[in-house]
Amino acid sequence: MSTVETPATEDKQVYEPKPKYSDFQRLIGTLAFPSEVFNDINIKPNLLLPLVMAIVVSLASGLIIIERLNVNWENIYSKAFDEQMAKQGKSRADLSQQEKDALDGQVKTMAKVAPYFVYINPILFCLAFPAILAAVFLAGATLMGGATLYKKVLSVVIHVFAMVTIFVQSILNILIAFLKDPKDLDITKGTLIASSPAALMPENASKILVSILSQFDIFTIWSLILISIGLAAISKNLSKKLAFLTIFGLWSIYALVAISLKILFS
């Protein structure tokens, strides 16, 4: 009886690419060779190191700058209240003694609480801001026909956030704090860097014009460019052109809303 021999089948091994860079190398590469880093993230996204670095650097830089500028919280809040009253056409002279005492009490209470927010705000900001941005960018990519995972988008966003928004700006803020006279610096602006055309405008310039110019912040544009490159690298069916249109389209909507609110409430 003859038997039919079946050809031997070889086990086919599926090639799975492995990441080329360590988590630390990815941080450096986000600024030096972003395309390669984002391709690496597409293989295996990571979150922990950039998140921890962002929180640590943000906390450290904030404490260094506050110590250098010898911040007086009572003066800051007192000035803020005075400016708010000035917008209403009032001053402290228009207040009764009881109202003045109440205002002074508010200022002192807020001044006592403020140092705690130096620790709390950076942590909350570093946790919430990248997470929200990643969700918005994922939705935008999906609407444009792209396909990717939230974790990959979050990994791209948090790398850019950690290196551009936190690390680079923190280093520059610290340098400015030590190179300039503390009396010439205003910590209430959120940054000491003149990173948008709005910083070059005189104090009596139109607030609407300042609001428009403030949207063209060099670090914001830099971050958006990097995220656009990253979104294209981690998404299927999304070219670089579509990724740039998605990211800058969403930014344009945000800028228009911000400017509109400024016009409405100025």
Side-chain angles (χ1 to χ4, degrees):
M1 187 178 199
S2 61
T3 58
V4 179
E5 293 184 2
T6 57
T9 58
E10 296 181 359
D11 293 336
K12 293 183 178 180
Q13 294 183 347
V14 178
Y15 173 71
E16 294 184 2
K18 294 182 179 179
K20 290 171 58 178
Y21 304 107
S22 67
D23 290 359
F24 180 75
Q25 288 173 324
R26 286 182 176 185
L27 285 173
I28 303 301
T30 298
L31 302 179
F33 40 90
S35 293
E36 293 183 36
V37 167
F38 298 142
N39 286 328
D40 218 43
I41 286 173
N42 188 40
I43 298 170
K44 187 178 180 182
N46 67 302
L47 302 171
L48 185 59
L49 182 60
L51 176 60
V52 171
M53 194 206 80
I55 292 173
V56 171
V57 172
S58 183
L59 281 169
S61 63
L63 291 172
I64 291 170
I65 291 169
I66 287 171
E67 180 66 25
R68 165 62 180 168
L69 301 186
N70 193 23
V71 174
N72 186 314
W73 294 109
E74 283 196 27
N75 287 346
I76 287 175
Y77 285 115
S78 183
K79 181 181 176 182
F81 277 116
D82 288 342
E83 290 175 352
Q84 189 63 35
M85 285 190 293
K87 290 179 181 179
Q88 301 170 0
K90 298 180 180 180
S91 68
R92 288 180 183 255
D94 300 314
L95 301 178
S96 66
Q97 187 59 48
Q98 186 177 1
E99 288 173 326
K100 289 179 182 178
D101 292 340
L103 181 59
D104 289 339
Q106 277 185 282
V107 168
K108 288 179 180 179
T109 300
M110 294 176 73
K112 288 179 181 179
V113 174
Y116 296 102
F117 283 98
V118 174
Y119 298 95
I120 297 171
N121 284 349
I123 296 172
L124 294 178
F125 181 63
C126 291
L127 289 172
F129 188 67
I132 294 170
L133 278 187
V136 172
F137 293 150
L138 175 61
T142 303
L143 288 173
M144 296 295 282
T148 187
L149 300 175
Y150 175 74
K151 186 176 181 180
K152 290 183 179 182
V153 181
L154 180 58
S155 184
V156 167
V157 170
I158 206 165
H159 275 79
V160 175
F161 172 79
M163 294 306 296
V164 178
T165 307
I166 301 299
F167 181 75
V168 173
Q169 291 196 64
S170 293
I171 296 298
L172 292 176
N173 273 309
I174 290 171
L175 285 174
I176 291 170
F178 280 90
L179 290 174
K180 287 191 172 184
D181 187 336
K183 295 178 182 178
D184 298 331
L185 300 173
D186 185 1
I187 196 174
T188 61
K189 293 181 178 178
T191 180
L192 306 178
I193 310 167
S195 56
S196 76
L200 305 177
M201 300 300 291
E203 290 186 7
N204 60 349
S206 165
K207 292 183 179 179
I208 295 173
L209 177 60
V210 171
S211 178
I212 293 171
L213 294 176
S214 67
Q215 303 305 317
F216 297 93
D217 179 88
I218 188 171
F219 295 105
T220 298
I221 303 300
W222 184 9
S223 296
L224 292 173
I225 291 171
L226 289 176
I227 292 171
S228 298
I229 295 170
L231 193 62
I234 63 172
S235 301
K236 295 178 181 178
N237 306 320
L238 193 73
S239 64
K240 280 188 177 181
K241 183 178 179 180
L242 280 177
F244 271 83
L245 285 173
T246 300
I247 298 301
F248 279 88
L250 290 168
W251 169 75
S252 298
I253 293 171
Y254 161 79
L256 286 172
V257 171
I259 294 166
S260 299
L261 291 174
K262 188 70 176 180
I263 293 171
L264 287 172
F265 294 103
S266 62

